Amino acid sequence: MRRSSAIRRGTNSVQLRRYNERLVLQTLRRAGEASKAELARLADLTNTAIGGIIAQLERDGLIVSLGKRHDGGRGQPATLYRLAPKGAYGIGVRLDRRSMEAVLIDFGGAVIARRSHDGLLPAPAETLRIARRDVEELLAVLSPTDRPKLAGIGLAQPYNLGAWLHQLDLPPADFAAWDTVDFAAMLETATGLPVFGENDGTAAAVAELFYGIGRSIDDFLYLFIGPAIGGGVVLGGDCLRGPTGNAGDVALLPVGPGRLASAPSPADGRDILLTRASLNALSRHLAFHGLPGDGRADLKAAIAAGRPAVAEWVGDCVDALTDAIWSATALLEVRSVIIDADIDDGLIDALIGRLQARLAATVPEAGQPPRLLHGSFGCDAGAIGAASLPMFFSFSPRASILTRSADERGWRDHAAAAD
């Protein structure tokens, strides 16, 4: 399917009715509730067009009426509408090198049920067995009436799972098999359900765009600090993917070498963001000081205790992020950067505070530091991002770019079925 540029305004053309329906859904998602007249104005549609679209969306069970609004004004009170939480559902499967999880969300983005597993990611066959069982258990949560409303399964995983293992202190033998499998296709065959696969950073950015801060911001750089660091780029209200779906792979951005004594020494005197701005780097630095840092609980305890080693890592992380953000904003001209992480306990606000000061101190001539924002989902970003993929693809007016991915066959088939 040919990629087309994003459409910025509503239109009353018959052939773009589906787009207009999705535009109305997006408008309601952002507004929370609105009348027909308000929706027509916000979506730039005629009253006649909005009436037909509202009627169709009500028949599809995607929106519901809240009754009349009585505000004391003149004229007939207006009927208000909002999204129907039970209008659609999505299942997300998130794979990481050290964990996997699955969630079920409703049309409003609320998590209904979840399954999670900590530990090194098993071989693909065993991972498939676990994921299939998780999907079946999540499906069982839905009533027979709601099960047909499932939009599909979203799969979020780092591309090149078998790469950068030295920087992440992981054994290569445990991940070699992942370089030769198409797990999205495997999961689709195993479950009989459509699977939408994405880079985990892009998926988390989709969650932020569809259900988080992106409901009011159309352009931003998204950064997620986990065991590694992932990212996504949102421009014009759509996610930039690139030819192989790996746009926004901030982990590979070149940065200078770190100052921490725990950091590995790069052979060529240069480093990448992954080595410095990641929770793995924090774990390594804690271990260097003889402190436990093997999992989330250890990291949270170190943060809560105010360990000097944490503050040292934060400073080095901020220096690395400063270079990366200036590079990204110079190329993309985004004015906002959303930062989230697998753990918080005050860590994200500390990073944002020091990073904002560092950006202000290093701003180029005639430049302006971007606004830094705390992400919406924390450790759930990847899983909710995965579950958001089928929803975003099926119900967003800006989903055209998601009809292409590393699995061209799957995305094109889904696009043909949807359109």
Side-chain angles (χ1 to χ4, degrees):
M1 179 172 289
R2 187 178 64 220
R3 182 180 303 190
S4 60
S5 60
I7 300 172
R8 296 294 300 168
R9 302 290 290 174
T11 174
N12 297 306
S13 302
V14 173
Q15 54 269 52
L16 291 178
R17 181 182 179 90
R18 183 179 297 276
Y19 170 83
N20 288 337
E21 289 175 356
R22 295 179 179 188
L23 183 60
V24 170
L25 290 174
Q26 176 185 268
T27 303
L28 272 177
R29 184 173 291 106
R30 291 184 165 189
E33 60 185 47
S35 67
K36 287 182 182 179
E38 290 167 337
L39 288 170
R41 176 176 54 81
L42 292 170
D44 195 25
L45 295 165
T46 66
N47 291 332
T48 300
I50 200 69
I53 289 172
I54 290 293
Q56 183 61 54
L57 293 176
E58 279 193 291
R59 286 193 294 269
D60 292 340
L62 296 174
I63 66 173
V64 293
S65 167
L66 298 177
K68 302 290 186 179
R69 173 170 57 194
H70 298 277
D71 55 9
R74 295 182 177 181
Q76 294 294 323
T79 300
L80 296 179
Y81 297 90
R82 67 170 174 85
L83 297 182
K86 293 186 176 182
Y89 299 90
I91 288 178
V93 175
R94 180 204 182 196
L95 304 183
D96 190 65
R97 295 176 179 91
R98 288 187 173 91
S99 65
M100 61 181 296
E101 56 190 322
V103 300
L104 171 68
I105 67 171
D106 65 18
F107 198 36
V111 175
I112 300 172
R114 70 173 70 234
R115 300 291 184 271
S116 60
H117 314 274
D118 290 326
L120 285 180
L121 191 68
E126 176 62 12
T127 300
L128 180 64
R129 185 190 69 79
I130 297 171
R132 181 178 183 178
R133 183 191 64 199
D134 288 348
V135 169
E136 290 173 349
E137 291 178 356
L138 293 177
L139 280 172
V141 173
L142 295 176
S143 69
T145 301
D146 288 336
R147 192 169 297 186
K149 301 176 184 177
L150 183 75
I153 300 172
L155 172 68
Q157 67 177 81
Y159 283 164
N160 303 316
L161 266 170
W164 308 108
L165 301 179
H166 174 70
Q167 287 82 357
L168 294 170
D169 301 316
L170 292 171
D174 290 342
F175 295 91
W178 284 97
D179 289 337
T180 59
V181 301
D182 182 345
F183 195 76
M186 292 169 61
L187 186 59
E188 185 168 274
T189 299
T191 62
L193 295 167
V195 175
F196 304 86
E198 271 298 341
N199 175 292
D200 57 343
T202 297
V206 167
E208 200 66 66
L209 172 61
F210 209 46
Y211 291 119
I213 295 172
R215 287 178 294 180
S216 58
I217 299 176
D218 279 342
D219 304 276
F220 58 85
L221 173 67
Y222 178 84
L223 301 174
F224 186 84
I225 302 174
I229 182 169
V233 179
V234 172
L235 297 175
D238 207 350
C239 279
L240 182 67
R241 298 193 63 256
T244 65
N246 214 27
D249 188 7
V250 296
L252 304 186
L253 285 174
V255 295
R259 300 189 308 272
L260 299 180
S262 59
S265 299
D268 60 357
R270 297 177 60 80
D271 219 327
I272 57 174
L273 191 61
L274 165 66
T275 308
R276 298 177 60 188
S278 65
L279 295 183
N280 185 70
L282 174 57
S283 296
R284 184 193 304 123
H285 196 56
L286 290 172
F288 179 82
H289 287 282
L291 299 170
D294 287 339
R296 287 179 181 174
D298 287 341
L299 297 179
K300 287 183 175 183
I303 294 167
R307 299 289 188 185
V310 175
E312 292 168 2
W313 171 80
V314 168
D316 192 66
C317 178
V318 163
D319 286 346
L321 286 172
T322 298
D323 293 341
I325 288 174
W326 281 130
S327 297
T329 54
L331 288 173
L332 302 170
E333 202 184 0
V334 290
R335 300 297 187 187
S336 300
V337 179
I338 299 175
I339 300 176
D340 218 336
D342 245 344
I343 56 174
D344 195 349
D345 294 85
L347 179 65
I348 300 174
D349 286 340
L351 274 170
I352 288 176
R354 292 186 63 172
L355 184 56
Q356 194 78 70
R358 181 69 174 150
L359 289 169
T362 58
V363 62
E365 184 178 353
Q368 183 177 355
R371 177 174 52 159
L372 304 183
L373 302 168
H374 192 304
S376 306
F377 302 106
C379 62
D380 283 336
I384 293 178
S388 300
L389 292 175
M391 307 279 236
F392 186 66
F393 179 77
S394 300
F395 303 112
S396 171
R398 294 157 173 165
S400 60
I401 200 168
L402 292 181
T403 60
R404 298 187 66 196
S405 83
D407 178 11
E408 292 286 341
R409 171 197 56 78
W411 280 112
R412 286 178 176 172
D413 287 349
H414 300 321
D419 292 333

